């Protein structure tokens, strides 16, 4: 393998030897002064001896360690999901011996996994060697979508084995890019059933939190016909239809996905209220009888040029006055929005398409496509989604 410069090849340059910063604004000069202090071991030792400052420093050290050990922590989660640890503990507490027997592990190894889970806040040891779910463990046991997302990280982590190399080159053959088959195809409408099945199941199973965020943030009571473009198997539409019994629903997606959507919506008893249309949302005519159109976790998958094509096609197809709602994780100031942005920034890099945009960037794309009245709508959880609404 070609040799590459790594941090250990480069002597660390003390911060105080960097260029003259006198021309920077005061805010930046203050931050640089603070950074120089922090980089000094003597200053850090002084902080460690000062009780209040020590608590702040320890919290920051813990945060940094969370990042340093992040891969291990997420493998603890993966092991728990794969072994069925959280579902096994859902009905009630068990001892390490009982868990080891049920999950087929040696008891000593089981204890290591249980201790790590308890240390990370997924389980609790209610009394000596009696284990039960902590809050996060309850969510893992009950949310199939979350478990599905954790399992699909196996691919992402293989793609990210060499992250600096991924940043240097534009990798076109990642596992994630193969998984999200529509991003690699010039004609995604020709994808077959096998090529869309895995991501469609993952999207359906992981829709619950997204749907409740959207339904809590926009009033669908006055919507007569709701069209979900790139609607997958119809999980969002099913949630909207269940909440609003007189709502007519329409779904547009790739032909191989709409076959699945039809079956799914029929199986839930929504067949009478549903119309499903297959095609390519960048070029095929989109039905125009809806008064509200949603794009849920769709734009983030695509680079700006393809987003412009999707929005231009929607603008051409929809009737004036139709409301458009873009719902996805967006970059923003809230902690959840920043977490989502850091996560998806790297995720979409590995996928080779798309990016996590801010509401302002999405608004600019909507204005450029000719939409009017563009507004940001906060949701209860910016980690999951923010909405940007507009009018055709
Ligand atoms: C990330 S998934 C989101 C699915 C759903 N909206 C959700 O939130 O669960 C993106 C969806 O866009 C669809 N899609 C991708 N490219 C498309 C295209 N060119 N035309 C129509 N649908 C497309 C995919 O099949 C997939 O269902």
């Amino acid at each position: 393998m070609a040799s590459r410069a790594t941090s250990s090849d480069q002597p660390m340059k003390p911060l105080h030897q960097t260029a003259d910063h006198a021309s920077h604004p005061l805010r930046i000069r203050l931050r640089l002064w603070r950074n120089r202090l922090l980089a000094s071991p003597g200053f850090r030792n002084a902080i460690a001896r000062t009780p209040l400052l020590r608590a702040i420093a320890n919290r920051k050290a813990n945060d940094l360690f969370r990042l340093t050990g992040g891969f291990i922590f997420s493998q603890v989660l993966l092991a728990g999901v794969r072994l069925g640890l959280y579902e096994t503990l859902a009905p009630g507490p068990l001892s390490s011996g009982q868990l080891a027997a049920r999950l087929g592990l040696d008891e000593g190894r089981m204890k290591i996994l249980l201790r790590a889970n308890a240390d990370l806040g997924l389980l609790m040891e209610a009394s000596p060697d009696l284990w039960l779910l902590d809050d996060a463990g309850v969510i893992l046991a009950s949310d199939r979508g979350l478990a599905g997302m954790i399992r699909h990280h196996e691919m992402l982590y293989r793609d990210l084995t060499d992250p600096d190399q991924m940043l240097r080159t534009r990798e076109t053959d990642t596992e994630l890019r193969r998984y999200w088959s529509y991003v690699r195809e010039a004609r995604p409408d020709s994808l077959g059933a096998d090529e869309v099945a895995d991501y469609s199941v993952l999207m359906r199973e992981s829709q619950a939190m997204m749907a409740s965020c959207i339904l809590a943030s926009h009033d669908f009571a006055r919507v007569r016909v709701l069209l979900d473009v790139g609607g997958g198997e119809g999980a969002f539409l099913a949630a909207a239809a269940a909440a609003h019994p007189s709502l007519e629903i329409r779904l547009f997606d790739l032909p191989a996905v709409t076959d699945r959507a039809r079956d799914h919506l029929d199986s839930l008893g929504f067949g009478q209220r549903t119309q499903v249309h297959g095609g390519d949302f960048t070029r095929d005519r989109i039905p125009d009888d809806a008064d509200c159109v949603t794009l849920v976790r769709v734009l983030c998958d695509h680079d700006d040029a393809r987003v412009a094509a999707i929005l231009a096609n929607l603008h051409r197809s929809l009737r004036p006055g139709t409301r458009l709602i873009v719902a996805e994780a967006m970059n923003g100031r809230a902690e959840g929005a920043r977490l989502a942005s850091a996560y998806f920034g790297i995720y979409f890099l590995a996928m080779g398409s798309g990016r996590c945009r801010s509401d302002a960037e999405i608004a600019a794309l909507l204005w450029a496509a000719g939409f009017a009245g563009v507004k940001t709508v906060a949701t209860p959880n910016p980690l999951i989604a923010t909405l940007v609404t507009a009018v055709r």
Side-chain angles (χ1 to χ4, degrees):
M1 197 201 272
S3 79
R4 295 196 314 269
T6 65
S7 56
S8 57
D9 301 330
Q10 311 278 337
M12 296 277 277
K13 197 175 187 183
L15 288 176
H16 60 269
Q17 283 182 17
T18 52
D20 175 18
H21 298 298
S23 60
H24 290 304
L26 179 63
R27 181 175 52 85
I28 294 181
R29 279 183 282 136
L30 280 175
R31 171 49 83 168
L32 289 168
W33 168 76
R34 181 185 149 143
N35 288 357
R36 276 195 298 277
L37 280 180
L38 275 176
S40 140
F43 178 77
R44 292 202 301 272
N45 286 338
I47 294 243
R49 289 192 296 271
T50 316
L52 190 60
L53 294 180
R54 181 198 303 149
I56 297 171
N58 284 352
R59 181 169 51 75
K60 294 203 173 231
N62 293 345
D63 288 346
L64 185 54
F65 189 75
R66 258 184 211 102
L67 295 178
T68 311
F71 180 72
I72 296 174
F73 303 154
S74 103
Q75 294 304 89
V76 168
L77 206 55
L78 178 60
V81 166
R82 277 202 199 159
L83 288 164
L85 175 62
Y86 311 110
E87 289 103 309
T88 307
L89 280 171
L94 293 170
S95 70
S96 55
Q98 289 169 316
L99 280 163
R102 294 208 194 170
L103 305 184
L105 282 194
D106 162 85
E107 192 176 341
R109 297 290 174 96
M110 188 76 241
K111 281 186 170 149
I112 294 172
L113 181 66
L114 290 170
R115 173 60 52 216
N117 270 275
D119 291 339
L120 293 174
L122 296 159
L123 302 183
M124 56 210 300
E125 192 177 12
S127 57
D129 197 34
L130 190 67
W131 304 88
L132 78 157
L133 298 175
D134 204 335
D135 295 354
V138 175
I139 306 299
L140 282 164
S142 56
D143 190 326
R144 286 174 65 86
L146 191 52
M149 293 300 284
I150 291 165
R151 282 176 186 275
H152 107 297
H153 281 161
E154 294 169 42
M155 283 181 294
L156 174 60
Y157 290 170
R158 283 193 290 271
D159 287 338
L160 292 180
T161 305
D162 214 352
D164 50 336
Q165 186 63 3
M166 173 161 287
L167 286 159
R168 280 198 180 88
T169 58
R170 198 173 168 88
E171 186 53 74
T172 52
D173 188 28
T174 60
E175 287 193 44
L176 218 52
R177 197 169 169 79
R178 287 195 289 278
Y179 181 80
W180 297 103
S181 49
Y182 52 83
V183 297
R184 61 172 154 79
E185 285 296 329
R187 292 302 309 252
D189 46 347
S190 65
L191 287 168
D194 290 351
E195 294 165 294
V196 303
D198 288 351
Y199 79 69
S200 294
V201 171
L202 180 66
M203 288 294 93
R204 166 167 48 77
E205 290 187 340
S206 64
Q207 180 61 234
M209 282 196 259
M210 173 61 80
S212 69
C213 255
I214 302 170
L215 294 174
S217 316
H218 183 83
D219 182 10
F220 288 87
R222 276 176 294 169
V223 176
R224 196 180 51 79
V225 180
L226 175 64
L227 164 68
D228 195 20
V229 173
E233 293 190 6
F236 170 62
L237 284 177
H244 299 284
S246 60
L247 189 66
E248 289 288 310
I249 52 179
R250 310 273 183 269
L251 185 141
F252 187 96
D253 207 296
L254 299 171
V257 179
T258 50
D259 292 342
R260 304 177 64 88
R262 219 170 268 115
D263 291 348
H264 181 60
L265 290 167
D266 276 350
S267 75
L268 297 175
F270 295 123
Q272 298 290 323
R273 295 158 67 185
T274 304
Q275 282 178 26
V276 170
H277 305 266
D280 179 340
F281 55 34
T282 61
R283 60 175 87 207
D284 294 325
R285 190 133 198 113
I286 291 170
D288 71 350
D289 63 337
D291 44 344
C292 182
V293 175
T294 42
L295 284 168
V296 181
R297 299 191 286 189
V298 167
L299 298 188
C300 53
D301 277 349
H302 304 285
D303 295 338
D304 287 2
R306 199 177 307 184
V307 169
I310 297 168
L311 295 180
N313 192 31
L314 277 167
H315 194 267
R316 256 192 316 274
S317 303
L318 302 180
R319 279 178 298 146
T322 309
R323 179 162 302 280
L324 178 64
I325 301 177
V326 177
E328 58 193 35
M330 293 179 201
N331 171 337
R333 293 165 76 93
E335 186 184 5
R338 285 186 288 123
L339 279 174
S341 165
Y343 171 91
F344 283 118
I346 300 300
Y347 189 104
F348 291 131
L349 182 75
M351 188 165 118
S353 172
R355 66 196 178 89
C356 181
R357 298 179 175 87
S358 65
D359 59 335
E361 288 173 309
I362 291 177
L365 289 159
L366 286 163
W367 288 115
F371 287 90
V374 181
K375 283 194 201 114
T376 299
V377 180
T379 73
N381 189 350
L383 173 64
I384 307 289
T386 298
L387 309 189
V388 177
T389 67
V391 180
R392 157 68 175 92

